[in-house]
Amino acid sequence: MKKDIEIPKVTDVEIAVVLETNEIDNKEDWNVYILNKKDVDLEMVVIVSQGFSDTKTTSVFRRKIDMLPANSYQKFELMQPELFDLDNRFQVTFFENNRLHDKTFIFQAETIQEGFLRDIEFLGKRGIVCK
């Protein structure tokens, strides 16, 4: 029965959008990171991202990370500034201790901009975090 299904709450996993200098061409890039602040590894992480509004929708992008170690992070996407006018959704699914977990993170339109950058101590960089 539906009432018997337990859906675990996802905590200590976050998505961050970070403005960084690209060392190759010395330009500013917006990169997206997944942060694992848990004391356990995350296995078979699948991230599905898409930008959307009432009138526009981007292509769906999927990425897989086999293992995201405990207390670590990984860059997984370069984000184009043209997407900042859209809501940007990141659906994250992973296994933790052999249990499936799922969480959706949404950066609302116009919230990814330099004025909203904050220090992200876990990354040692400045960016915008969605918890």
Side-chain angles (χ1 to χ4, degrees):
M1 304 296 185
K2 283 187 177 181
K3 64 180 175 107
D4 296 325
I5 298 173
E6 181 187 339
I7 300 172
K9 183 178 179 184
V10 174
T11 59
D12 298 325
V13 175
E14 301 171 353
I15 298 290
V17 179
V18 176
L19 182 62
E20 308 179 280
T21 302
N22 180 331
E23 295 177 12
I24 295 172
D25 59 11
N26 207 30
K27 292 184 180 178
E28 297 284 296
D29 286 337
W30 290 90
N31 293 305
V32 187
Y33 287 80
I34 183 167
L35 287 62
N36 177 12
K37 294 182 171 183
K38 295 177 174 286
D39 291 327
V40 296
D41 297 342
L42 305 182
E43 298 178 37
M44 201 67 138
V45 180
V46 176
I47 304 166
V48 179
S49 61
Q50 184 175 35
F52 63 95
S53 71
D54 292 336
T55 58
K56 294 181 186 176
T57 302
T58 68
S59 299
V60 175
F61 292 100
R62 295 174 181 87
R63 291 130 224 92
K64 182 182 90 164
I65 301 168
D66 292 322
M67 175 76 67
L68 186 59
N71 297 302
S72 71
Y73 55 86
Q74 184 168 333
K75 179 172 32 176
F76 66 88
E77 183 175 314
L78 170 67
M79 197 166 191
Q80 299 300 321
E82 296 82 26
L83 298 173
F84 301 163
D85 293 336
L86 306 173
D87 291 333
N88 287 277
R89 175 177 46 227
F90 297 89
Q91 294 172 287
V92 179
T93 306
F94 58 90
F95 282 95
E96 176 188 340
N97 297 324
N98 292 322
R99 276 187 84 185
L100 186 66
H101 290 68
D102 180 74
K103 185 167 183 176
T104 300
F105 301 87
I106 297 180
F107 289 88
Q108 294 180 335
E110 305 297 335
T111 60
I112 301 173
Q113 51 184 292
E114 288 189 49
F116 292 130
L117 295 175
R118 301 290 178 261
D119 289 329
I120 306 171
E121 187 176 324
F122 190 77
L123 278 174
K125 302 174 187 280
R126 291 181 51 81
I128 300 140
V129 176
C130 189
K131 298 180 180 185

